[in-house]
Amino acid sequence: MLSPSLAQEIAGDTSAVIGFNVLITDAEGMVIGSGDSSRVGSFHEASVEVVRTQEPATHNASQAQQLRGVRPGVTLPLVAGGQAVGTVGITGTPAQVRRFGLLVKRQTEILLRESVMLRSRLLSERAAEKLLADIASYDPQVVEGDFLVFRAAELGFDLRLQRVAVAIEVTVPEGTARRRGGGPAQDVALVRTELLRTVREVFADPQDIVAGAAPGWIGVLHRVPARRRTESLVGDCRRVVDVIAAQDGLIARVGIGEPASSVGGLHDSYQDACDALRLGGRSAGDSPVQLIADLRVHQVLAAVNQSARNRLVDLTTADLRAQPDWPALRDTITAWCESGFNLVRASAALHIHRNTVVYRMNKIEQLTGRPLRDHRTTMALYLACLADQMGSG
C-alpha cells in the first residue's frame, strides 16, 4: 500500500515544510522515504515495535544509541484499514518534534488513503477497459460467455441485465491542436480522464460500464431501465456531445446499438454502435447521434463488396449522375423513400416546397424512363443513392 516513490515524495515535501527530517518506513522497519536521502534503504529498529503495538514512541539521544538506525525523535504508526502499514518518524529532540507528530501522521495517512483510492480506481478502470475489449472482440469459439459473465460479476456488473451499447468518438477540430501546441491524438489523451468523468456523469447507473475503448473512443454498455424510451437515451447522448463541446472544445459523435442481455448480444450491439458511427458520418447529415436501427440498410450495403456497389450505382443512376443537379436529385430520391413515399413528408424533410419535389420527381422519371411510384424501381434507385453517398469507404 505504501510505495517507495510515494513515501519519498511525502517525506521530502514534509521535511521541507516543518524544518525537521521526516522518515517513513514500511511494516518491516525498512526506510523507504526520508528527507535525508542517505537513510533510504536502511533499517529503523524502533519502527518494528511501533508497528507491532500501533503506539507512538519517543527516543532521546541515549535511547536512540541503543537501537539500530535510530536517531533522537518521535516515531508514529501509519494505520490504514486498522492495520499498521509502516511508520513515520521525525528527527530531533522529542520536546521539539512531538508537536509535529500527530499532524504529520494524519497528513501522511490522508495521502496514503488518496493514493490507495487512486490506484484502486485506476485498476477498476483498466479492468472495465479489458472487459469492454473482450466483449467487443468476443468469439464463442475462443472464450465462453459464462466466463465473461463471471468476470463482470467480480467487478460488480451483471451482464444478464438488458443493456445497449453506445460508442463515442471524440476528435479535435482542425486548427485546435496547433493552437494547443500538440497533435489531435495528444489533445484527446490529455483530457481522457475528464472525458470519462463527463460520460460517467451522464451514464451514472451503477450497472453502466464506461471505459476507454481506443485512443479517442469511449464505450458504454448502458443498462436499459424498464420502459425507458429510445428518445431518452438519444437525449442523454446529445447531452454528452454538448458537454464535451462546451468543456473542451472537442467534437463528439455517438453511435447507438440495439438492446441485448447476453455476451453475444452485447458484442453485436457494440459492433452495431461502431457501425452507426462509421456509416452515420457519411450518409445521415450532421446529426452527432446515430442509431443503428436507422442505418440497417446502410449496414447491409457496407457489407457488399465495393465493385458490386459501384456496379449498382453505375447501372441504376448513370443518366441521373450526368446531371449538374445530381446531389439534389439523389437527396430527393432518398427523402421520398425514407418519408414513406409521401409527398408532404418528403418536402418537409428536404425543406423545400412540394412543387419543387414534384418537379424533381418528374425529371427523375423522364431521365430513368421509370415511374417513381413503382416501388421496386424506386427502391433500386434508393439503394444506389445510398451506395453513392457512402462512397468508396
Side-chain angles (χ1 to χ4, degrees):
M1 295 179 64
L2 189 55
S3 67
S5 58
L6 175 63
Q8 183 58 42
E9 182 179 358
I10 294 173
D13 290 347
T14 309
S15 297
V17 171
I18 68 174
F20 294 95
N21 183 59
V22 173
L23 177 145
I24 297 176
T25 77
D26 61 17
E28 282 72 44
M30 298 302 297
V31 178
I32 56 176
S34 175
D36 177 1
S37 58
S38 66
R39 299 186 68 182
V40 175
S42 64
F43 178 65
H44 190 263
E45 186 177 355
S47 293
V48 176
E49 185 66 13
V50 171
V51 167
R52 188 184 69 80
T53 62
Q54 295 192 24
E55 293 291 336
T58 59
H59 305 89
N60 56 32
S62 61
Q63 291 171 326
Q65 288 180 351
Q66 305 302 314
L67 298 170
R68 181 181 167 190
V70 178
R71 295 179 183 176
V74 59
T75 305
L76 304 99
L78 292 175
V79 180
Q83 179 180 357
V85 296
T87 68
V88 58
I90 308 175
T91 302
T93 62
Q96 287 179 307
V97 299
R98 188 181 287 111
R99 57 195 174 100
F100 294 109
L102 188 57
L103 177 63
V104 172
K105 167 183 162 68
R106 286 181 175 173
Q107 185 63 28
T108 303
E109 289 176 342
I110 290 172
L111 294 174
L112 177 59
R113 283 197 298 271
E114 290 178 349
S115 174
V116 170
M117 290 175 61
L118 176 60
R119 189 178 307 168
S120 175
R121 186 163 63 247
L122 289 174
L123 290 174
S124 295
E125 287 184 0
R126 288 172 186 166
E129 288 177 7
K130 182 67 166 58
L131 177 63
L132 179 66
D134 287 345
I135 291 173
S137 61
Y138 172 68
D139 182 347
Q141 302 299 319
V142 176
V143 61
E144 292 186 5
D146 288 344
F147 173 71
L148 293 183
V149 170
F150 174 77
R151 262 193 34 217
E154 289 186 316
L155 299 175
F157 302 119
D158 185 354
L159 293 186
R160 297 167 299 181
L161 299 175
Q162 182 164 265
R163 283 179 163 81
V164 62
V166 176
I168 304 170
E169 180 188 33
V170 182
T171 57
V172 181
E174 186 176 352
T176 301
R178 287 191 294 272
R179 290 195 300 272
R180 294 180 180 182
Q186 291 171 306
D187 280 357
V188 173
L190 285 172
V191 296
R192 182 176 182 274
T193 301
E194 288 76 8
L195 290 174
L196 286 170
R197 185 183 302 116
T198 295
V199 175
R200 289 192 179 107
E201 286 175 354
V202 176
F203 294 100
D205 190 296
Q207 283 294 321
D208 286 345
I209 303 173
V210 181
W217 282 69
I218 295 174
V220 181
L221 299 180
H222 168 59
R223 185 182 78 87
V224 183
R227 297 185 297 278
R228 191 184 192 199
R229 298 175 61 86
T230 301
E231 292 83 355
S232 178
L233 176 57
V234 171
D236 286 344
C237 292
R238 290 187 183 277
R239 187 149 56 96
V240 168
V241 170
D242 292 342
V243 172
I244 289 175
Q247 288 184 346
D248 303 303
L250 303 175
I251 295 174
R253 296 173 53 250
V254 182
I256 301 174
E258 300 273 16
S261 55
S262 67
V263 172
L266 287 173
H267 166 80
D268 293 339
S269 182
Y270 186 74
Q271 297 304 317
D272 282 346
C274 294
D275 282 350
L277 262 180
R278 178 170 56 88
L279 298 169
R282 289 183 292 172
S283 57
D286 297 326
S287 176
V289 179
Q290 300 291 338
L291 293 105
I292 193 61
D294 298 333
L295 296 166
R296 287 299 185 191
V297 176
H298 305 70
Q299 191 180 38
V300 171
L301 276 174
V304 177
N305 66 68
Q306 186 63 47
S307 62
R309 296 209 306 266
N310 290 342
R311 184 169 174 79
L312 172 66
V313 173
D314 291 341
L315 294 178
T316 309
T317 65
D319 293 332
L320 295 174
R321 291 168 64 232
Q323 302 301 308
D325 60 346
W326 159 238
L329 299 177
R330 181 185 62 194
D331 291 346
T332 301
I333 295 170
T334 302
W336 171 249
C337 292
E338 293 180 353
S339 300
F341 312 108
N342 182 283
L343 183 61
V344 175
R345 289 199 293 268
S347 62
L350 293 166
H351 305 291
I352 58 177
H353 194 276
R354 57 183 294 174
N355 290 342
T356 304
V357 177
V358 172
Y359 166 77
R360 290 181 183 176
M361 291 176 65
N362 289 335
K363 182 176 181 178
I364 292 167
E365 290 177 341
Q366 291 172 4
L367 289 169
T368 61
R370 296 177 180 178
L372 284 178
R373 297 189 183 278
D374 178 350
H375 291 169
R376 287 184 300 179
T377 296
T378 306
M379 289 307 297
L381 279 172
Y382 174 62
L383 293 176
C385 288
L386 293 184
D388 184 71
Q389 286 178 330
M390 292 168 64
S392 58

